[in-house]
Amino acid sequence: MLAAVAFLLLLAHGLQRVIESDVVRAWLIRRVESRAVSAGIDMRVGDLRWEYLPPRMVLADLSLVTSGVRAEVAHLSADLLALRPPRRTVALGTVVADGVRVHLDAAAAKPPRRCDRRSRVRFTDRHLHLRRVDVQGRGLPGIEAVGLH
């Protein structure tokens, strides 16, 4: 029995080292960025790391650009609630975005393009918390400029 527990601990430690390796983190960053591109968003992720209790993915220094919108997020964390392989669903508990800066430019906005590729995996979330949000805009209908802090 003690040997089985020791084996499981060694296996868990090895898995943790693999998940936290630079190669795996870089691969996951590329996957997150390519998923955003398939949704019509140019996204850059500065860093990705894991927390284990509760299971959480943490992204840092994000930048997102899409038609008429440019956003930066200093810190984004997403709690993993459940994996449902038969339904191809990843359920997220709480998603927290901290240090959000949004720049809106109605003059640069274009109609949204249809995405050619649909994801096989669906993501759901229960709670979204926004902290330290700054919204700037120009050329919005009926408004010369807007700034929210």
Side-chain angles (χ1 to χ4, degrees), residues 55-97:
R56 174 181 299 144
M57 182 190 320
V58 180
L59 302 171
D61 301 323
L62 283 100
S63 75
L64 303 103
V65 178
T66 189
S67 178
V69 179
R70 187 177 81 248
E72 294 92 28
V73 180
H75 182 266
L76 182 103
S77 65
D79 295 347
L80 179 64
L81 193 61
L83 294 173
R84 298 185 182 106
R87 294 183 183 172
R88 297 184 202 166
T89 301
V90 176
L92 303 174
T94 301
V95 177
V96 178

Side-chain angles (χ1 to χ4, degrees), residues 18-104:
V18 168
I19 288 174
E20 291 179 354
S21 72
D22 291 338
V23 172
V24 171
R25 289 173 49 213
W27 179 81
L28 284 170
I29 287 172
R30 286 192 308 272
R31 291 289 300 151
V32 168
E33 291 173 346
S34 69
R35 179 164 169 80
V37 166
S38 70
I41 301 168
D42 179 25
M43 175 191 270
R44 299 289 173 251
V45 178
D47 191 27
L48 179 145
R49 64 183 171 80
W50 298 98
E51 294 177 1
Y52 298 101
L53 292 174
R56 174 181 299 144
M57 182 190 320
V58 180
L59 302 171
D61 301 323
L62 283 100
S63 75
L64 303 103
V65 178
T66 189
S67 178
V69 179
R70 187 177 81 248
E72 294 92 28
V73 180
H75 182 266
L76 182 103
S77 65
D79 295 347
L80 179 64
L81 193 61
L83 294 173
R84 298 185 182 106
R87 294 183 183 172
R88 297 184 202 166
T89 301
V90 176
L92 303 174
T94 301
V95 177
V96 178
D98 188 18
V100 180
R101 297 185 66 195
V102 180
H103 307 276
L104 305 172

